[in-house]
Amino acid sequence: MCLGLPGKVLEIKDFSAVVDIAGTKREVSTMMLAEEIEVGDYVMVHVGFAIAKMDPKEAEETLKTILEFADENDF
């Protein structure tokens, strides 16, 4: 099973973006995205790649669920 995390786009460069995932900033490749993104958009991040643009509400709910699971299981 693979896990992707929602990240909020903070900055866009040539073929990468800086995203915020639960307070941690990461630079990720945007080369796999089919859609254009803008600062403020949410993307699904998997192994250093933004793989899909996400609906903001879905992204926030997904991240909340993941963080709750991690807290409950001492991750």
Side-chain angles (χ1 to χ4, degrees):
M1 178 167 80
C2 297
L3 178 64
L5 299 171
K8 186 174 185 175
V9 177
L10 302 177
E11 180 181 338
I12 299 173
K13 300 179 182 181
D14 292 328
F15 295 102
S16 66
V18 175
V19 298
D20 180 327
I21 302 172
T24 301
K25 294 177 184 160
R26 300 265 188 227
E27 186 168 343
V28 299
S29 172
T30 57
M31 294 187 72
M32 296 182 69
L33 288 174
E35 298 179 67
E36 293 288 324
I37 57 169
E38 298 178 3
V39 171
D41 285 343
Y42 283 86
V43 292
M44 178 64 64
V45 177
H46 177 66
V47 293
F49 289 88
I51 58 173
K53 188 174 175 180
M54 295 184 72
D55 172 77
K57 185 176 179 182
E58 178 185 6
E60 291 170 3
E61 289 175 5
T62 300
L63 189 56
K64 181 182 172 193
T65 300
I66 291 169
L67 292 173
E68 287 173 355
F69 177 80
D71 285 345
E72 291 171 4
N73 292 284
D74 296 322
F75 287 119

